[in-house]
Amino acid sequence: MRFEIMRLDDVDGTPVDTTVVDAASVNQIVQQAAAIGQRLWIRPAGTTTS
């Protein structure tokens, strides 16, 4: 399964950049973001928001 990970702006929470990764990479990215206090939005790749 692949996931879309969006890094969010610290001020207003808008997406700053997006990457699509496999499930094995998600944990590493989350841990790196947590270490520096970065906000992420993670969802399965290929989904849309309404």
Side-chain angles (χ1 to χ4, degrees):
M1 181 170 216
R2 298 183 59 79
F3 292 89
E4 180 180 21
I5 300 177
M6 290 174 269
R7 184 170 52 98
L8 303 177
D9 182 77
D10 291 337
V11 176
D12 62 8
T14 58
V16 176
D17 63 20
T18 301
T19 188
V20 176
V21 299
D22 60 3
S25 301
V26 173
N27 186 45
Q28 178 183 1
I29 292 170
V30 168
Q31 288 195 20
Q32 289 173 345
I36 61 172
Q38 189 175 60
R39 295 168 52 191
L40 300 176
W41 179 11
I42 303 171
R43 63 182 180 181
T47 63
T48 59
T49 58
S50 48

